[in-house]
Structure formats: C-alpha cells, structure tokens
Amino acid sequence: MAFGVTCSGAAQVVKAVRAVYNKTLIVKLSPNVTDIAQIACACEDEGADAVSLINTLLGMAVDIERRKPQLSIRTGGLSGPTVKPVALRMVYDVAHAVKVPVIGLGGISSAADAIEFLMCGATAIQIGTANFVDPTVTIKVIAGLNSWLDAHGCQSVHEIIGALEV
Ligand SMILES: Cc1cc2nc3c(=O)[nH]c(=O)nc-3n(C[C@H](O)[C@H](O)[C@H](O)COP(=O)(O)O)c2cc1C
C-alpha cells in the first residue's frame, strides 16, 4: 500500500508509529510524488526524528519480442546511478524544507557521489544498489570521503554539509 504518496497518508502513519514508539524514528520517503518536500514536512510535523530519501522510482521494462512487460508484476523499482540526479534534487529540496536531519541515497557508488549528497544538505548517506556490484563499496566510500576531506583541508565532514553554492 503506497501510504507515503500523500501528505495525509504519510502523516497518519508517522503519527500512529510515534504514538507507540519513543526511540529514533527515521521515515523513508517515496520519490513517486509531486512535492516530496511537503511530504517530508508532514512527517516532521508528526514527530519524525529524521527523513531518508529516496526510495525507488516506479519503472517499467518491455520485452518487445514477447510484447510483454519484463517484470511479472508489470512495474518495479528503479534504482542505482540512473536515479542519482532525481535523488539529489529531492534531497536538496527536502533539506531546505525541514529542520530534522536528512539522509540521502539514490545511486551512490563513490565518494564523489556521497559528497554531492552531503553538499546538497544530507547529513548522512546510505548505499543500496551499489552493494550488489561491489559488497565492499561502503568501506571504499568512507575511505574516499576521508581522503577528499583531507585533500581539501576540511577538519570535519560538517564543513561540506549543505555547502552547495547556488
Ligand atoms: C533489490 C532492492 C530491494 C529494496 N528493498 C527495499 C525495502 O525493502 N525497503 C526500502 O525502504 N527500500 C528498499 N529498496 C530501495 C533502496 O533502499 C533505496 O532507497 C533505493 O534503491 C535507492 O538507492 P540506491 O540507488 O543506492 O539503491 C530496495 C532496493 C533494491 C534495489
């Protein structure tokens, strides 16, 4: 059930969870919406401690010889490098709309990708699909991030969070 695609649906779920759960509540957001910042605000208003975005974009693939969808359930989640520009835009929008921390993900497979998300306002990042390509990717991204920060004279990762100049 896609309860995260309307402000009222997302708010109702966060409210219900918040009422029975007092530990850290991170709400994962769907990108399959018109205005993800509004959804994030609704979650924040109901007590989310942080938001994480993006989940997969709804996609489709077609087998032209069989004239059928390649996926048995017709549609599926699109992830990996191809979704990164969409994810960056959404993380940027949400980071400028809420006060709670924003965890960014969507197509991250290198330290440079992670830095892009941090500069757009994410205070942490996650990696999904790239783990299927290289199970050690997270370790490489952490090492690469540290190297980049050292090479650019940064004492802390906080110096690049939200540091995008527009
Ligand atoms: C095989 C697969 C399974 C996934 N399962 C879930 C899931 O159960 N819950 C969820 O919130 N996101 C799930 N996702 C979405 C990822 O957590 C992530 O939000 C999305 O793929 C974008 O990040 P990425 O490009 O780094 O994979 C899944 C993604 C993939 C590829």
Side-chain angles (χ1 to χ4, degrees):
M1 184 180 177
F3 47 71
V5 295
T6 63
C7 284
S8 65
Q12 279 179 55
V13 171
V14 175
K15 186 176 185 178
V17 174
R18 186 76 289 174
V20 295
Y21 185 74
N22 59 17
K23 295 191 174 70
T24 304
L25 176 57
I26 303 172
V27 178
K28 178 90 170 272
L29 303 181
S30 168
N32 302 309
V33 298
T34 309
D35 186 349
I36 198 166
Q38 278 188 355
I39 309 264
C41 289
C43 295
E44 180 182 45
D45 289 345
E46 294 299 341
D49 294 312
V51 290
S52 166
L53 62 139
I54 61 173
N55 210 320
T56 50
L57 285 150
L58 208 50
M60 214 173 157
V62 172
D63 179 337
I64 59 170
E65 298 307 323
R66 291 167 57 238
R67 301 189 185 199
K68 285 185 179 296
Q70 290 201 9
L71 298 172
S72 60
I73 53 169
R74 271 178 268 177
T75 60
L78 182 68
S79 66
T82 193
V83 307
K84 195 183 77 174
V86 177
L88 282 170
R89 189 264 296 173
M90 291 187 161
V91 165
Y92 180 83
D93 283 350
V94 169
H96 286 81
V98 298
K99 293 190 181 67
V100 293
V102 175
I103 303 169
L105 78 159
I108 297 174
S109 64
S110 68
D113 293 335
I115 292 164
E116 288 184 49
F117 278 83
L118 295 168
M119 287 185 174
C120 282
T123 54
I125 59 106
Q126 297 176 310
I127 302 176
T129 303
N131 286 289
F132 292 104
V133 181
D134 176 4
T136 68
V137 66
T138 51
I139 296 161
K140 291 172 183 165
V141 167
I142 292 167
L145 178 55
N146 273 327
S147 299
W148 192 94
L149 292 170
D150 288 344
H152 292 77
C154 299
Q155 302 298 313
S156 162
V157 72
H158 289 283
E159 291 174 36
I160 62 166
I161 291 170
L164 196 67
E165 295 173 9
V166 287

